[in-house]
Amino acid sequence: IYALGKEELRARCEAPVASSRQLGDVFRKWLRKTFEVKDEDEFLEHSRGVCVLAGSDQSLERFAREHLGYEGEKGLDGIIKIDATYLPLEAKLMSAVGGSQDRQLEDALGIHDRGFAPGVRPLAVVDGQHLMFDPDAVAAGEKLRIGRYRRMIAASTGPVVSALLLEELTRRLAGRGAS
């Protein structure tokens, strides 16, 4: 903290919190830090353990279309491979309740319905408000909306996981067959 200096420390403390629309790059950086990163050729050859595909938004989408039968119209936040099973990811942080957050959650859960080849296991990674119970939110009448998020997740047509559990989930699936 001392090395930052007073002005830099103040600037960082006063900086606005990143919104869910800006977190795609943060999530991808976390994926690259957490999992072994492979270029496309190595990723295709990979058959044991867990790794993540390196690349830009465009290269991930191109890979998904060419190799995973992806038919969706939007990009992906990442692609993990566990043994021989592909997990394309859509990640969202629910930073508030209501408004665009409803659409963000629908977007994340929609990964399961975007069209992938058989054997591909799309995964929604969702964190934030739906995990919290805030007494002030309840007093303000927001408990119903948070409960609605939980119901939306429960009704999802595919798996939904918190980023907090993603590393452990992939490690447990590795070696056991991810299907």
Side-chain angles (χ1 to χ4, degrees):
I1 293 177
Y2 288 114
L4 289 175
K6 186 173 114 180
E7 292 305 314
E8 178 66 18
L9 182 59
R10 172 175 277 157
R12 289 188 185 187
C13 288
E14 293 175 350
V17 176
S19 73
S20 61
R21 295 171 203 262
Q22 300 168 326
L23 288 175
D25 288 338
V26 174
F27 180 72
R28 254 186 293 244
K29 284 178 187 175
W30 176 81
L31 282 176
R32 290 192 301 266
K33 189 172 79 173
T34 305
F35 299 103
E36 183 178 358
V37 179
K38 306 254 184 185
D39 67 27
E40 187 172 319
D41 291 335
E42 293 173 316
F43 192 71
L44 286 167
E45 293 174 11
H46 176 86
S47 63
R48 296 210 46 78
V50 181
C51 66
V52 64
L53 178 61
S56 65
D57 290 349
Q58 295 81 14
S59 64
L60 292 178
E61 186 174 351
R62 181 192 50 74
F63 180 90
R65 290 189 189 290
E66 290 178 11
H67 299 283
L68 309 182
Y70 183 51
E71 299 172 352
E73 294 188 16
K74 69 178 302 302
L76 301 168
D77 290 318
I79 303 174
I80 290 178
K81 190 171 183 186
I82 304 174
D83 299 333
T85 302
Y86 295 96
L87 283 77
L89 307 172
E90 180 70 37
K92 298 294 181 195
L93 174 66
M94 308 299 293
S95 59
V97 294
S100 67
Q101 297 298 306
D102 291 15
R103 290 184 296 282
Q104 293 287 320
L105 181 57
E106 289 170 357
D107 187 42
L109 300 178
I111 192 171
H112 303 112
D113 303 317
R114 290 191 198 142
F116 288 96
V120 174
R121 304 285 181 245
L123 181 64
V125 180
V126 181
D127 282 296
Q129 285 290 334
H130 70 287
L131 298 175
M132 299 176 198
F133 181 79
D134 179 358
D136 293 332
V138 172
E142 294 176 356
K143 178 180 178 186
L144 294 175
R145 175 117 18 214
I146 293 169
R148 189 179 96 139
Y149 292 163
R150 289 181 180 155
R151 286 191 300 279
M152 289 170 67
I153 290 167
S156 176
T157 59
V160 181
V161 67
S162 165
L164 300 170
L165 302 174
L166 184 58
E167 184 176 9
E168 182 174 339
L169 172 70
T170 58
R171 302 266 185 247
R172 285 185 179 198
L173 292 174
R176 294 189 350 191
S179 55

